[in-house]
Amino acid sequence: MPAPRRSNRKEDILQALAAMLQSNNGQRITTAALAEKVGVSEAALYRHFPSKARMFEGLIEFIEDTLLSRINGILDEHKDTASRTELILQLILVFAERNPGICRILTGDALQGEQERLQERVAQLFEKLETQLKQCLRERKLREGKGFSIDEGELANLLLASVEGKLSQFVRSGFTRLPTQHWANQWAQLQTALFS
């Protein structure tokens, strides 16, 4: 008979932190409260993560790995620029919607009063997302022989800003105004304006 699977304590801590970010809207999360939620001592938390900032960095790494690997999959599977762009933007919206606590990290809301380097890590993540979008849009000329009436970098920035705005609305509404709400119609309008 196989031995029972031991849980991954680091993963448990990060999942508990994400859950607390969702339920403790606007309140700072203490390591004491997190330890209680996980069912361990504060000392046990620090055996897995040297600081609360490292716990947040663990969540940021999870976000980055998840989004960038899925974007690479989209780019491998789809060749049409409009489809690629739509799927990348939709991925970010759906990911945030399914992970409200993590969405608070993406908007910076959960990082207020935490170490500045955490805000910088999130900013770097958005720069990577914007670079992926820009590259996707630039390839349209090569793949489809068509360009845009606006610089691809400016367009990538505009599209990502739209997504970021929807994430901010989601957090500000206490997670009631879903990021994907109205997205299908909004994307249809954007696609007509940009890709026709």
Side-chain angles (χ1 to χ4, degrees), residues 11-27 29 33-34 37-38 56 59 98-105 175:
E11 212 172 274
D12 294 344
I13 292 167
L14 293 178
Q15 287 175 353
L17 178 57
M20 291 179 77
L21 287 170
Q22 180 178 347
S23 60
N24 295 11
N25 200 6
Q27 297 173 17
I29 294 170
L34 180 58
K37 174 120 176 130
V38 177
F56 277 111
L59 283 176
R98 290 183 181 163
N99 300 282
I102 287 177
C103 187
R104 288 191 60 223
I105 292 174
F175 309 121

Side-chain angles (χ1 to χ4, degrees), residues 3-74:
R5 185 181 166 267
R6 285 185 47 182
S7 73
N8 180 337
R9 187 61 76 189
K10 271 185 142 174
E11 212 172 274
D12 294 344
I13 292 167
L14 293 178
Q15 287 175 353
L17 178 57
M20 291 179 77
L21 287 170
Q22 180 178 347
S23 60
N24 295 11
N25 200 6
Q27 297 173 17
R28 277 185 62 118
I29 294 170
T30 65
T31 53
L34 180 58
E36 184 180 327
K37 174 120 176 130
V38 177
V40 298
S41 67
E42 279 187 82
L45 284 182
Y46 289 117
R47 278 196 293 275
H48 296 286
F49 294 97
S51 66
K52 190 164 72 164
R54 273 299 302 140
M55 294 175 207
F56 277 111
E57 284 179 349
L59 283 176
I60 294 168
E61 287 167 11
F62 165 75
I63 297 165
E64 185 171 311
D65 292 346
T66 301
L67 291 177
L68 294 179
S69 68
R70 290 183 182 169
I71 287 171
N72 286 334
I74 288 167

Side-chain angles (χ1 to χ4, degrees), residues 130-131 133-135 137-138 148 150-160:
E130 189 170 327
T131 297
L133 276 171
K134 183 173 25 176
Q135 185 60 36
L137 295 168
R138 282 194 172 143
F148 293 97
I150 182 174
D151 175 77
E152 291 91 351
E154 293 174 21
L155 181 54
N157 177 264
L158 173 66
L159 292 171
L160 192 58

Side-chain angles (χ1 to χ4, degrees), residues 22 70 73 109 112 116:
Q22 180 178 347
R70 290 183 182 169
D109 179 65
Q112 298 301 318
E116 190 176 320

